[in-house]
Amino acid sequence: MGLRKISQFTETDHAIVVAAVADAERLTTGEIVTIVTDLSDHYDDIAMAWASAIAFIALVSYATFPEFYMGLIDAFSGGWRHEYTTAEYAAFLLAAVALKWIGTWFILKWMPLRLALTPKAKKLARVRSRAISLFKVGTESKTVGRTGVLLYLSMKEHRAEIVADAAIASKVAPEIWGDAMVALLDQVKAGNPGAGVAAAVTQMGIVLAEHFPRGADNPNELPDRLIQL
């Protein structure tokens, strides 16, 4: 199942980003690629882990207080006491645990809750992994001087990544992109994601112009457009 497409970016946002990329690249041999997505991962494994944990807790509870739960079954059956066999007890137990698992899974199909229950470190790792994957496909080694750099924004995780090709990474430490990340996230939090991406691109252009100034031959090797996934 594919990741859902975002709706926050308007045609005006796209135009702002394209203009920002073009302006930034006029002063550098660096090539900036911008990609934005709604969600970097569906976190199905997180939902399964929570469903399994809830089912296990339910199993322990049923095993610890069997009389209480069997009393509930008797109450639902109209109060008629019945001597259950071991097989019947096991069937009740398995059915109850299965219902707990399925119920939790369906509740966690609501993505805001699933994301809220996903550890921050896990979200960071998934966004980073997705950014690197996209970088390898569309940016890495796509320029003559290996001067491509990807700005990746994942909206629902509230995370962004900057991944640079070999020549840039050898001269620009990851923390140097801090101003670009701040400019991006400040605008995104304010509800202006297009302006945020454009502001980040401007800051990235300043860094690239310092380390990779424009030369006599400066072809546009990578697309300037904002790519939505």
Side-chain angles (χ1 to χ4, degrees), residues 13 25 31 35 50 96 98 159 163 166 200 215:
D13 290 325
E25 291 181 353
E31 292 285 325
I35 298 180
W50 275 100
R159 298 286 183 271
V163 188

Side-chain angles (χ1 to χ4, degrees), residues 19-41:
V21 173
D23 286 343
E25 291 181 353
R26 286 193 183 98
L27 301 176
T28 176
T29 57
E31 292 285 325
I32 301 172
V33 175
T34 57
I35 298 180
V36 61
T37 189
D38 193 45
L39 193 64
S40 290
D41 191 271

Side-chain angles (χ1 to χ4, degrees), residues 19 56 125:
F56 177 76

Side-chain angles (χ1 to χ4, degrees), residues 61-72:
S61 178
Y62 299 151
T64 305
F65 307 104
E67 290 298 325
F68 172 77
Y69 290 104
M70 295 312 297
L72 291 178

Side-chain angles (χ1 to χ4, degrees), residues 74-85:
D74 289 336
F76 279 114
S77 65
W80 293 95
R81 189 73 181 179
H82 173 70
E83 292 298 326
Y84 296 101
T85 64

Side-chain angles (χ1 to χ4, degrees), residues 14 17 28 47 53-54 57 65 71 73 89-90 104 107 122 127 130 143 146 163 169 186-187 217 221 223 227:
H14 279 263
V17 173
T28 176
I54 295 298
I57 292 171
F65 307 104
I73 293 175
Y89 275 118
T104 303
I107 290 171
K122 184 72 70 175
V127 172
R130 178 73 169 159
T143 60
R146 301 199 69 173
V163 188
D186 281 350
Q187 288 289 342
D217 185 19
E221 299 174 272
I227 301 171

